Amino acid sequence: MRKQIALALVPACALLGLAGCDKFIRGMGDDPATEISEPEEVALEDQARTDTAPADEADKPVYAQAVSEEAIIDWTAARADVASNSSADGNFTVAAGGDAPPVPVMLPTGIVLPQGAESDVKFQPLNDGYFAFYPGTDYNIVVNGTNEIIGDRAPGTTDAPMRFIPTMSGAQVAFTKYGADYLIEFECTHADGEHADCISEEDALSIANSLVAVRSR
């Protein structure tokens, strides 16, 4: 008898199982959490992800102020000026040691050094240019020359006017010559207060204008 009852229950359970499965399948469509996206909705979501995805490294913009490039030097003009300035007062001996820098060497003329300070004059070639140091009583002079271009510059620019720039420690004068950039720094030896005032704009520009080319390639 028990065997017959068990056999009778098998078809019933099967029917109940099918009914339950059918209800479960229909229920999936009613539950928002388990709703299956339509193909069009999936395509829109993919497009949205594509539009908001971070750009590839190669597609990122490059800002000019962060880019450094090597200047094209007008060596012909520099050599002609060096030849005409061969009698410059003592500066050439400072610049002549070692290999010629990658920019024409421009140094000031007519500078009056403190007594015994000649030995403190320094000249140092660099990979991108050079710097020269002249000690002074009221201010020290540092001349920098470089063939690196950082920022915007019109193609083919070889000369740019001098610009006077006051600083916390003195002043600077910047200009472009032969395609290279030059910066003359005036470092006050006795800065007083927030702003050093050891050299006027007129004097700074006068010293900057005294620079002459004394060495070239």
Side-chain angles (χ1 to χ4, degrees):
M1 176 65 69
R2 290 179 179 176
K3 185 176 181 180
Q4 290 177 352
I5 293 172
L7 292 174
L9 287 174
V10 170
C13 289
L15 290 173
L16 287 173
L18 290 175
C21 290
D22 180 64
K23 182 179 180 181
F24 177 74
I25 292 172
R26 290 197 305 271
M28 289 178 63
D30 298 332
D31 186 359
T34 58
E35 184 176 353
I36 299 176
S37 301
E38 293 296 327
E40 292 181 358
E41 295 176 348
V42 173
L44 291 174
E45 291 175 0
D46 291 341
Q47 182 62 40
R49 284 194 296 268
T50 302
D51 292 341
T52 58
D56 186 80
E57 291 295 330
D59 296 333
K60 290 184 177 179
V62 178
Y63 297 99
Q65 60 267 28
V67 176
S68 174
E69 59 179 305
E70 188 172 314
I72 298 175
I73 305 300
D74 187 353
W75 293 107
T76 302
R79 284 191 294 268
D81 287 347
V82 169
S84 64
N85 297 322
S86 58
S87 60
D89 55 346
N91 287 323
F92 183 77
T93 58
V94 177
D99 296 334
V103 295
V105 176
M106 297 194 71
L107 297 176
T109 58
I111 294 178
V112 178
L113 299 174
Q115 187 174 3
E118 289 83 358
S119 60
D120 294 327
V121 176
K122 297 179 177 63
F123 177 84
Q124 180 63 53
L126 304 172
N127 290 334
D128 65 320
Y130 71 93
F131 82 87
F133 173 81
Y134 296 85
T137 302
D138 296 324
Y139 50 83
N140 301 320
I141 300 174
V142 182
V143 181
N144 304 274
T146 179
N147 65 354
E148 284 192 356
I149 300 175
I150 300 177
D152 292 327
R153 181 194 283 190
T157 299
T158 57
D159 294 271
M162 294 187 177
R163 304 181 305 280
F164 176 79
I165 309 163
T167 67
M168 296 295 291
S169 59
Q172 297 176 344
V173 175
F175 66 97
T176 301
K177 183 75 172 177
Y178 310 116
D181 284 339
Y182 296 89
L183 180 70
I184 305 98
E185 301 177 85
F186 302 92
E187 301 173 342
C188 296
T189 56
H190 304 288
D192 185 18
E194 292 185 0
H195 298 283
D197 188 19
C198 59
I199 186 170
S200 66
E201 179 176 354
E202 181 182 0
D203 290 341
L205 291 174
S206 177
I207 293 174
N209 280 311
S210 77
L211 266 70
V212 296
V214 296
R215 193 171 188 194
S216 180
R217 288 185 172 182

